[in-house]
Amino acid sequence: FDEFFKQRRRWIPSTVANLSLLITQASKVTQMNDTVSIIFVLFQGVLVFSTAISPATVILVIASGFSSAYKVSDSSITAIIIILLLLSVAYGIFCIYGNPQHQLDVAKFATFFFTIIMGVVFAGNFKNIIYDFILVGKNYWPCSINATTNLSICNNTTGFIFPLTPSTMY
């Protein structure tokens, strides 16, 4: 875990920096290299954008899973989103200023904690699949996406824990 976490911390910033450089110098890159097209550069821009919004997406998926698993009010969902946002910001600040060994210890705890949380999210999504797709017979496309995602998580026995804990990867 420790080595993977250290490598992951290097991969994301360097990848985003390289893609940003490619995007900012797109015209020069496409002129000097025939195999790189503007469509490829636009695709890389979409990847940078999706990387930037991924933590927010994970927060919304967790809130949605809690909403599905338990019948909670809108104010409770808002509170969950705010708590997760504050935890994410606090963890980011801790990763900038904290001791590297303490960062690993906190990351291990966060992995354990979010594994439990994502189990609830998994159950909430599965409940929606059963209700919407099988019992009611509506929303075939979103339910098939949820079913495919959940099945791929279950079938990935070698890396079962990593898809359940995406928030610790950011």
Side-chain angles (χ1 to χ4, degrees), residues 62 65-66 69-70 112-126 150 160 163-165:
I62 291 172
F66 268 97
Y70 306 108
F112 172 74
F113 176 74
F114 279 105
T115 299
I116 295 168
I117 297 296
M118 293 306 283
V120 173
V121 170
F122 178 85
N125 283 335
F126 196 71
N150 288 339
F160 181 72
L164 294 178
T165 58

PDB file of all heavy atoms in Angstrom, residues 62 65-66 69-70 112-126 150 160 163-165:
ATOM      1  N   ILE A  62     -21.305   9.127  -3.515  1.00  0.00           N
ATOM      2  CA  ILE A  62     -21.478   8.698  -2.122  1.00  0.00           C
ATOM      3  C   ILE A  62     -22.785   9.242  -1.557  1.00  0.00           C
ATOM      4  O   ILE A  62     -23.550   8.509  -0.919  1.00  0.00           O
ATOM      5  CB  ILE A  62     -20.264   9.125  -1.269  1.00  0.00           C
ATOM      6  CG1 ILE A  62     -19.030   8.317  -1.678  1.00  0.00           C
ATOM      7  CG2 ILE A  62     -20.543   8.935   0.218  1.00  0.00           C
ATOM      8  CD1 ILE A  62     -17.741   8.788  -1.026  1.00  0.00           C
ATOM      9  N   GLY A  65     -25.641   7.341  -3.062  1.00  0.00           N
ATOM     10  CA  GLY A  65     -25.730   5.994  -2.507  1.00  0.00           C
ATOM     11  C   GLY A  65     -26.368   5.980  -1.130  1.00  0.00           C
ATOM     12  O   GLY A  65     -27.178   5.105  -0.812  1.00  0.00           O
ATOM     13  N   PHE A  66     -26.012   6.969  -0.308  1.00  0.00           N
ATOM     14  CA  PHE A  66     -26.646   7.069   1.009  1.00  0.00           C
ATOM     15  C   PHE A  66     -28.125   7.383   0.871  1.00  0.00           C
ATOM     16  O   PHE A  66     -28.952   6.865   1.616  1.00  0.00           O
ATOM     17  CB  PHE A  66     -25.960   8.135   1.867  1.00  0.00           C
ATOM     18  CG  PHE A  66     -24.866   7.588   2.716  1.00  0.00           C
ATOM     19  CD1 PHE A  66     -23.554   7.653   2.300  1.00  0.00           C
ATOM     20  CD2 PHE A  66     -25.148   7.011   3.936  1.00  0.00           C
ATOM     21  CE1 PHE A  66     -22.541   7.135   3.067  1.00  0.00           C
ATOM     22  CE2 PHE A  66     -24.141   6.490   4.722  1.00  0.00           C
ATOM     23  CZ  PHE A  66     -22.826   6.558   4.286  1.00  0.00           C
ATOM     24  N   ALA A  69     -29.679   4.074  -0.154  1.00  0.00           N
ATOM     25  CA  ALA A  69     -29.625   3.018   0.859  1.00  0.00           C
ATOM     26  C   ALA A  69     -30.551   3.314   2.031  1.00  0.00           C
ATOM     27  O   ALA A  69     -31.179   2.414   2.583  1.00  0.00           O
ATOM     28  CB  ALA A  69     -28.192   2.848   1.350  1.00  0.00           C
ATOM     29  N   TYR A  70     -30.607   4.569   2.418  1.00  0.00           N
ATOM     30  CA  TYR A  70     -31.445   4.986   3.544  1.00  0.00           C
ATOM     31  C   TYR A  70     -32.359   6.103   3.048  1.00  0.00           C
ATOM     32  O   TYR A  70     -31.960   6.922   2.238  1.00  0.00           O
ATOM     33  CB  TYR A  70     -30.596   5.521   4.703  1.00  0.00           C
ATOM     34  CG  TYR A  70     -29.525   4.567   5.155  1.00  0.00           C
ATOM     35  CD1 TYR A  70     -28.186   4.809   4.879  1.00  0.00           C
ATOM     36  CD2 TYR A  70     -29.854   3.412   5.844  1.00  0.00           C
ATOM     37  CE1 TYR A  70     -27.207   3.940   5.290  1.00  0.00           C
ATOM     38  CE2 TYR A  70     -28.873   2.531   6.264  1.00  0.00           C
ATOM     39  CZ  TYR A  70     -27.552   2.803   5.987  1.00  0.00           C
ATOM     40  OH  TYR A  70     -26.573   1.930   6.387  1.00  0.00           O
ATOM     41  N   PHE A 112      -9.792   2.263   4.737  1.00  0.00           N
ATOM     42  CA  PHE A 112     -10.682   1.390   5.512  1.00  0.00           C
ATOM     43  C   PHE A 112     -12.057   2.036   5.696  1.00  0.00           C
ATOM     44  O   PHE A 112     -13.088   1.409   5.462  1.00  0.00           O
ATOM     45  CB  PHE A 112     -10.051   1.095   6.880  1.00  0.00           C
ATOM     46  CG  PHE A 112     -10.962   0.360   7.813  1.00  0.00           C
ATOM     47  CD1 PHE A 112     -11.225  -0.987   7.621  1.00  0.00           C
ATOM     48  CD2 PHE A 112     -11.566   1.023   8.870  1.00  0.00           C
ATOM     49  CE1 PHE A 112     -12.078  -1.670   8.467  1.00  0.00           C
ATOM     50  CE2 PHE A 112     -12.416   0.354   9.723  1.00  0.00           C
ATOM     51  CZ  PHE A 112     -12.674  -0.997   9.529  1.00  0.00           C
ATOM     52  N   PHE A 113     -12.068   3.313   6.065  1.00  0.00           N
ATOM     53  CA  PHE A 113     -13.319   4.032   6.314  1.00  0.00           C
ATOM     54  C   PHE A 113     -14.168   4.113   5.053  1.00  0.00           C
ATOM     55  O   PHE A 113     -15.362   3.811   5.054  1.00  0.00           O
ATOM     56  CB  PHE A 113     -12.998   5.431   6.857  1.00  0.00           C
ATOM     57  CG  PHE A 113     -14.198   6.293   7.071  1.00  0.00           C
ATOM     58  CD1 PHE A 113     -15.056   6.074   8.131  1.00  0.00           C
ATOM     59  CD2 PHE A 113     -14.479   7.339   6.202  1.00  0.00           C
ATOM     60  CE1 PHE A 113     -16.165   6.869   8.333  1.00  0.00           C
ATOM     61  CE2 PHE A 113     -15.583   8.144   6.389  1.00  0.00           C
ATOM     62  CZ  PHE A 113     -16.434   7.908   7.458  1.00  0.00           C
ATOM     63  N   PHE A 114     -13.547   4.498   3.939  1.00  0.00           N
ATOM     64  CA  PHE A 114     -14.308   4.652   2.700  1.00  0.00           C
ATOM     65  C   PHE A 114     -14.675   3.312   2.061  1.00  0.00           C
ATOM     66  O   PHE A 114     -15.586   3.255   1.252  1.00  0.00           O
ATOM     67  CB  PHE A 114     -13.580   5.572   1.724  1.00  0.00           C
ATOM     68  CG  PHE A 114     -13.787   7.018   2.042  1.00  0.00           C
ATOM     69  CD1 PHE A 114     -12.789   7.769   2.635  1.00  0.00           C
ATOM     70  CD2 PHE A 114     -15.003   7.623   1.782  1.00  0.00           C
ATOM     71  CE1 PHE A 114     -12.991   9.093   2.952  1.00  0.00           C
ATOM     72  CE2 PHE A 114     -15.213   8.961   2.090  1.00  0.00           C
ATOM     73  CZ  PHE A 114     -14.207   9.690   2.682  1.00  0.00           C
ATOM     74  N   THR A 115     -13.976   2.247   2.412  1.00  0.00           N
ATOM     75  CA  THR A 115     -14.407   0.922   1.972  1.00  0.00           C
ATOM     76  C   THR A 115     -15.759   0.591   2.574  1.00  0.00           C
ATOM     77  O   THR A 115     -16.658   0.083   1.890  1.00  0.00           O
ATOM     78  CB  THR A 115     -13.370  -0.148   2.358  1.00  0.00           C
ATOM     79  OG1 THR A 115     -12.134   0.156   1.716  1.00  0.00           O
ATOM     80  CG2 THR A 115     -13.821  -1.540   1.945  1.00  0.00           C
ATOM     81  N   ILE A 116     -15.925   0.900   3.844  1.00  0.00           N
ATOM     82  CA  ILE A 116     -17.214   0.684   4.501  1.00  0.00           C
ATOM     83  C   ILE A 116     -18.277   1.596   3.885  1.00  0.00           C
ATOM     84  O   ILE A 116     -19.390   1.159   3.576  1.00  0.00           O
ATOM     85  CB  ILE A 116     -17.087   0.917   6.022  1.00  0.00           C
ATOM     86  CG1 ILE A 116     -16.164  -0.145   6.620  1.00  0.00           C
ATOM     87  CG2 ILE A 116     -18.453   0.896   6.708  1.00  0.00           C
ATOM     88  CD1 ILE A 116     -15.739   0.127   8.026  1.00  0.00           C
ATOM     89  N   ILE A 117     -17.946   2.855   3.687  1.00  0.00           N
ATOM     90  CA  ILE A 117     -18.891   3.809   3.089  1.00  0.00           C
ATOM     91  C   ILE A 117     -19.304   3.349   1.694  1.00  0.00           C
ATOM     92  O   ILE A 117     -20.484   3.365   1.341  1.00  0.00           O
ATOM     93  CB  ILE A 117     -18.267   5.225   3.029  1.00  0.00           C
ATOM     94  CG1 ILE A 117     -17.971   5.751   4.428  1.00  0.00           C
ATOM     95  CG2 ILE A 117     -19.153   6.188   2.259  1.00  0.00           C
ATOM     96  CD1 ILE A 117     -19.174   5.972   5.292  1.00  0.00           C
ATOM     97  N   MET A 118     -18.329   2.909   0.887  1.00  0.00           N
ATOM     98  CA  MET A 118     -18.648   2.491  -0.474  1.00  0.00           C
ATOM     99  C   MET A 118     -19.451   1.189  -0.484  1.00  0.00           C
ATOM    100  O   MET A 118     -20.166   0.917  -1.445  1.00  0.00           O
ATOM    101  CB  MET A 118     -17.384   2.358  -1.319  1.00  0.00           C
ATOM    102  CG  MET A 118     -16.696   3.698  -1.585  1.00  0.00           C
ATOM    103  SD  MET A 118     -17.774   4.960  -2.303  1.00  0.00           S
ATOM    104  CE  MET A 118     -17.841   4.395  -3.984  1.00  0.00           C
ATOM    105  N   GLY A 119     -19.357   0.390   0.574  1.00  0.00           N
ATOM    106  CA  GLY A 119     -20.235  -0.773   0.697  1.00  0.00           C
ATOM    107  C   GLY A 119     -21.691  -0.349   0.807  1.00  0.00           C
ATOM    108  O   GLY A 119     -22.582  -0.957   0.194  1.00  0.00           O
ATOM    109  N   VAL A 120     -21.943   0.713   1.566  1.00  0.00           N
ATOM    110  CA  VAL A 120     -23.297   1.257   1.676  1.00  0.00           C
ATOM    111  C   VAL A 120     -23.741   1.830   0.329  1.00  0.00           C
ATOM    112  O   VAL A 120     -24.885   1.632  -0.098  1.00  0.00           O
ATOM    113  CB  VAL A 120     -23.363   2.334   2.788  1.00  0.00           C
ATOM    114  CG1 VAL A 120     -24.703   3.042   2.805  1.00  0.00           C
ATOM    115  CG2 VAL A 120     -23.065   1.715   4.145  1.00  0.00           C
ATOM    116  N   VAL A 121     -22.844   2.522  -0.349  1.00  0.00           N
ATOM    117  CA  VAL A 121     -23.159   3.084  -1.668  1.00  0.00           C
ATOM    118  C   VAL A 121     -23.474   1.958  -2.662  1.00  0.00           C
ATOM    119  O   VAL A 121     -24.432   2.050  -3.440  1.00  0.00           O
ATOM    120  CB  VAL A 121     -21.990   3.969  -2.169  1.00  0.00           C
ATOM    121  CG1 VAL A 121     -22.173   4.363  -3.617  1.00  0.00           C
ATOM    122  CG2 VAL A 121     -21.846   5.190  -1.286  1.00  0.00           C
ATOM    123  N   PHE A 122     -22.678   0.909  -2.616  1.00  0.00           N
ATOM    124  CA  PHE A 122     -22.920  -0.257  -3.473  1.00  0.00           C
ATOM    125  C   PHE A 122     -24.312  -0.828  -3.213  1.00  0.00           C
ATOM    126  O   PHE A 122     -25.071  -1.111  -4.142  1.00  0.00           O
ATOM    127  CB  PHE A 122     -21.842  -1.315  -3.217  1.00  0.00           C
ATOM    128  CG  PHE A 122     -22.015  -2.576  -4.010  1.00  0.00           C
ATOM    129  CD1 PHE A 122     -21.529  -2.670  -5.292  1.00  0.00           C
ATOM    130  CD2 PHE A 122     -22.654  -3.677  -3.465  1.00  0.00           C
ATOM    131  CE1 PHE A 122     -21.677  -3.829  -6.033  1.00  0.00           C
ATOM    132  CE2 PHE A 122     -22.809  -4.834  -4.181  1.00  0.00           C
ATOM    133  CZ  PHE A 122     -22.324  -4.921  -5.467  1.00  0.00           C
ATOM    134  N   ALA A 123     -24.664  -0.979  -1.923  1.00  0.00           N
ATOM    135  CA  ALA A 123     -25.979  -1.521  -1.571  1.00  0.00           C
ATOM    136  C   ALA A 123     -27.101  -0.591  -2.040  1.00  0.00           C
ATOM    137  O   ALA A 123     -28.133  -1.055  -2.543  1.00  0.00           O
ATOM    138  CB  ALA A 123     -26.073  -1.734  -0.061  1.00  0.00           C
ATOM    139  N   GLY A 124     -26.908   0.719  -1.891  1.00  0.00           N
ATOM    140  CA  GLY A 124     -27.913   1.678  -2.354  1.00  0.00           C
ATOM    141  C   GLY A 124     -28.105   1.629  -3.855  1.00  0.00           C
ATOM    142  O   GLY A 124     -29.239   1.656  -4.352  1.00  0.00           O
ATOM    143  N   ASN A 125     -26.999   1.548  -4.595  1.00  0.00           N
ATOM    144  CA  ASN A 125     -27.104   1.445  -6.055  1.00  0.00           C
ATOM    145  C   ASN A 125     -27.760   0.133  -6.468  1.00  0.00           C
ATOM    146  O   ASN A 125     -28.562   0.097  -7.398  1.00  0.00           O
ATOM    147  CB  ASN A 125     -25.734   1.567  -6.712  1.00  0.00           C
ATOM    148  CG  ASN A 125     -25.254   2.996  -6.754  1.00  0.00           C
ATOM    149  OD1 ASN A 125     -26.043   3.933  -6.740  1.00  0.00           O
ATOM    150  ND2 ASN A 125     -23.947   3.168  -6.791  1.00  0.00           N
ATOM    151  N   PHE A 126     -27.415  -0.943  -5.783  1.00  0.00           N
ATOM    152  CA  PHE A 126     -28.010  -2.234  -6.105  1.00  0.00           C
ATOM    153  C   PHE A 126     -29.509  -2.225  -5.816  1.00  0.00           C
ATOM    154  O   PHE A 126     -30.303  -2.783  -6.578  1.00  0.00           O
ATOM    155  CB  PHE A 126     -27.302  -3.342  -5.314  1.00  0.00           C
ATOM    156  CG  PHE A 126     -27.580  -4.708  -5.843  1.00  0.00           C
ATOM    157  CD1 PHE A 126     -27.043  -5.121  -7.051  1.00  0.00           C
ATOM    158  CD2 PHE A 126     -28.388  -5.582  -5.152  1.00  0.00           C
ATOM    159  CE1 PHE A 126     -27.295  -6.377  -7.551  1.00  0.00           C
ATOM    160  CE2 PHE A 126     -28.657  -6.836  -5.640  1.00  0.00           C
ATOM    161  CZ  PHE A 126     -28.104  -7.244  -6.846  1.00  0.00           C
ATOM    162  N   ASN A 150     -21.399  -2.380 -11.047  1.00  0.00           N
ATOM    163  CA  ASN A 150     -21.398  -3.232  -9.855  1.00  0.00           C
ATOM    164  C   ASN A 150     -20.894  -4.629 -10.166  1.00  0.00           C
ATOM    165  O   ASN A 150     -20.150  -5.211  -9.378  1.00  0.00           O
ATOM    166  CB  ASN A 150     -22.794  -3.284  -9.232  1.00  0.00           C
ATOM    167  CG  ASN A 150     -23.158  -1.983  -8.545  1.00  0.00           C
ATOM    168  OD1 ASN A 150     -22.286  -1.203  -8.190  1.00  0.00           O
ATOM    169  ND2 ASN A 150     -24.431  -1.753  -8.353  1.00  0.00           N
ATOM    170  N   PHE A 160     -10.332  -5.948  -5.820  1.00  0.00           N
ATOM    171  CA  PHE A 160     -11.676  -5.662  -5.325  1.00  0.00           C
ATOM    172  C   PHE A 160     -11.719  -4.420  -4.459  1.00  0.00           C
ATOM    173  O   PHE A 160     -12.643  -3.639  -4.534  1.00  0.00           O
ATOM    174  CB  PHE A 160     -12.191  -6.862  -4.528  1.00  0.00           C
ATOM    175  CG  PHE A 160     -13.590  -6.672  -3.986  1.00  0.00           C
ATOM    176  CD1 PHE A 160     -14.671  -6.704  -4.855  1.00  0.00           C
ATOM    177  CD2 PHE A 160     -13.814  -6.436  -2.651  1.00  0.00           C
ATOM    178  CE1 PHE A 160     -15.955  -6.524  -4.383  1.00  0.00           C
ATOM    179  CE2 PHE A 160     -15.094  -6.266  -2.176  1.00  0.00           C
ATOM    180  CZ  PHE A 160     -16.160  -6.313  -3.046  1.00  0.00           C
ATOM    181  N   PRO A 163     -11.601  -0.427  -6.480  1.00  0.00           N
ATOM    182  CA  PRO A 163     -12.762   0.262  -7.047  1.00  0.00           C
ATOM    183  C   PRO A 163     -13.735   0.752  -5.979  1.00  0.00           C
ATOM    184  O   PRO A 163     -14.488   1.670  -6.202  1.00  0.00           O
ATOM    185  CB  PRO A 163     -13.436  -0.807  -7.917  1.00  0.00           C
ATOM    186  CG  PRO A 163     -12.395  -1.806  -8.173  1.00  0.00           C
ATOM    187  CD  PRO A 163     -11.485  -1.788  -6.994  1.00  0.00           C
ATOM    188  N   LEU A 164     -13.702   0.138  -4.792  1.00  0.00           N
ATOM    189  CA  LEU A 164     -14.605   0.566  -3.734  1.00  0.00           C
ATOM    190  C   LEU A 164     -14.107   1.793  -3.002  1.00  0.00           C
ATOM    191  O   LEU A 164     -14.830   2.394  -2.235  1.00  0.00           O
ATOM    192  CB  LEU A 164     -14.829  -0.580  -2.735  1.00  0.00           C
ATOM    193  CG  LEU A 164     -15.559  -1.788  -3.287  1.00  0.00           C
ATOM    194  CD1 LEU A 164     -15.658  -2.859  -2.217  1.00  0.00           C
ATOM    195  CD2 LEU A 164     -16.944  -1.408  -3.756  1.00  0.00           C
ATOM    196  N   THR A 165     -12.855   2.159  -3.190  1.00  0.00           N
ATOM    197  CA  THR A 165     -12.292   3.272  -2.444  1.00  0.00           C
ATOM    198  C   THR A 165     -11.686   4.314  -3.363  1.00  0.00           C
ATOM    199  O   THR A 165     -10.522   4.654  -3.239  1.00  0.00           O
ATOM    200  CB  THR A 165     -11.216   2.766  -1.463  1.00  0.00           C
ATOM    201  OG1 THR A 165     -10.217   2.083  -2.225  1.00  0.00           O
ATOM    202  CG2 THR A 165     -11.786   1.855  -0.430  1.00  0.00           C
TER     203      THR A 165
END
